Amino acid sequence: MTFPLAAHTPARGCRGRGERRHGRDWHKLFTGSHSAPELVKNARLAEDAGFSFLNISDHYHPWIPTHGRAGFAWCTIGSISQATSRIKVSTGVTCPLVRYHPAIVAQAAATAATLMPGRFELGLGTGENLNEHITGSVFPTSEPVRLDMLREAVSIIRMLWKGGVQDYCGAYYALDNAQIYELPRDLPPIRISAQGPMAAEVAGDIGDALIHFEQKPEEIIEAFRASGGEGKSCMIETAACYAGSEEEAKRTAYEWFPMEELRTAPVRSEKRWIGVPALRRRSLRTPAECPPPRCHTGRPAPIGIRRRRP
């Protein structure tokens, strides 16, 4: 039996103080190809096998229809909290820009951290049109705009985590008498996804940690460190596929991840499996190829509502 596998490894020389170097014991929970009950079972098996960290994808749609699944990650996280007792869990990653309002993400993460004291962290990124168009709002194709939205979203999340009633009127989002009543004793760290230097600079400035989904992280880590990320944790995700032979692993990789570019890489052979690592991520479609979603009126829907105070 073959299936895609995503592994997480801490970046060399980039980790927080007191953070243990976990090596290769970080496991991806891929909501696009497993049902929620299967994910909970896999989380428990991963903990029993000695894994120390889980990262769960947060999508509304699978990458391709063949994947066949796309359950709600936050419900699954609640179940995982009760099925495990030691392993740490992170979203990998949640987009708090369009599909979720930052206030909802702040509440969800606070509840998850309450269920898993010291075991949950919030992974955030700027998302993809694949998932973010579903509410009828236009997903911005401009990276600077998405990063500005992410900055504002993170500031709102941290504001709500301070407790008390909060009001806010910003460029993209608003709060009106919002308060999170169930806050954890220890707030979860926020790990920011960055795939380019511009995002890495933002991650170093507003995040507590970094996650990167490519194979050559040196430039990203350098930009992250130079912008306030020195000494903070870095996580690198790489996709891999294993099977009984190299050819079988390649066929599976192309079938399950056609949006990835299969790179030539050394193949490790053992008695039980042959691995084909290093699938490099690339977009299914460029933003220009994605027509803007429209609301029921036929006009492009706004990104957000800008409130004006009297």
Side-chain angles (χ1 to χ4, degrees):
M1 181 178 181
T2 61
F3 57 90
L5 172 69
H8 292 77
T9 57
R12 182 171 55 191
C14 186
R15 54 180 177 149
R17 294 181 180 178
E19 177 184 346
R20 185 170 65 88
R21 188 176 294 278
H22 296 296
R24 295 186 177 182
D25 59 349
W26 300 13
H27 179 67
K28 181 77 171 186
L29 294 175
F30 187 44
T31 59
S33 61
H34 296 278
S35 68
E38 289 172 331
L39 292 169
V40 175
K41 178 182 177 181
N42 289 344
R44 185 172 62 251
L45 290 173
E47 182 176 77
D48 292 343
F51 283 81
S52 62
F53 197 96
L54 297 172
N55 185 282
I56 183 169
S57 57
D58 184 2
H59 284 206
Y60 195 89
H61 293 137
W63 282 110
I64 56 174
T66 304
H67 290 166
R69 304 281 187 178
F72 191 45
W74 291 96
C75 289
T76 307
I77 288 171
S79 295
I80 290 171
S81 73
Q82 302 306 294
T84 61
S85 60
R86 175 187 57 82
I87 199 164
K88 294 185 177 182
V89 181
S90 173
T91 52
V93 291
T94 293
C95 177
L97 305 191
V98 178
R99 176 167 55 109
Y100 296 129
H101 189 285
I104 302 302
V105 175
Q107 184 187 34
T111 302
T114 302
L115 289 167
M116 291 181 281
R119 294 200 291 135
F120 179 76
E121 71 175 34
L122 177 60
L124 297 177
T126 55
E128 305 91 8
N129 189 63
L130 172 73
N131 303 298
E132 300 307 305
H133 76 275
I134 58 103
T135 61
S137 295
V138 176
F139 181 64
T141 58
S142 167
E143 183 181 12
V145 170
R146 294 197 304 271
L147 289 172
D148 282 346
M149 295 175 73
L150 183 62
R151 280 184 180 275
E152 189 170 325
V154 170
S155 69
I156 290 172
I157 291 169
R158 294 195 189 277
M159 178 192 306
L160 288 167
W161 283 355
K162 292 178 181 178
V165 177
Q166 302 291 344
D167 288 283
Y168 175 82
C169 181
Y172 303 103
Y173 308 105
L175 295 176
D176 184 14
N177 294 329
Q179 179 175 358
I180 296 177
Y181 279 86
E182 187 165 348
L183 288 169
R185 184 181 62 181
D186 299 317
L187 295 173
I190 296 178
R191 186 178 295 271
I192 302 294
S193 169
Q195 309 314 312
M198 187 184 302
E201 292 176 2
V202 173
D205 184 31
I206 67 174
D208 303 312
L210 170 75
I211 182 169
H212 177 59
F213 295 94
E214 291 285 354
Q215 300 297 319
K216 295 181 179 180
E218 292 82 6
E219 181 183 9
I220 303 303
I221 292 176
E222 182 179 351
F224 175 71
R225 288 172 171 170
S227 303
E230 187 68 42
K232 297 178 182 179
S233 168
C234 298
M235 179 189 293
I236 310 302
E237 178 177 305
T238 180
C241 180
Y242 70 86
S245 69
E246 180 179 353
E247 289 304 314
E248 184 182 2
K250 286 181 178 180
R251 286 195 303 271
T252 302
Y254 282 120
E255 176 184 356
W256 281 85
F257 284 91
M259 65 282 191
E260 305 278 358
E261 178 184 352
L262 182 62
R263 305 188 325 170
T264 302
V267 178
R268 176 186 176 190
S269 300
E270 293 184 357
K271 292 182 179 180
R272 298 184 62 184
W273 62 274
I274 296 177
V276 180
L279 292 170
R280 190 169 184 177
R281 181 176 301 277
R282 59 187 174 90
S283 299
L284 285 168
R285 296 187 294 176
T286 64
E289 295 171 326
C290 298
R294 293 181 176 273
C295 61
H296 66 279
T297 62
R299 299 192 305 272
I303 294 173
I305 299 175
R306 188 186 186 116
R307 299 187 63 187
R308 296 184 180 274
R309 298 290 187 186

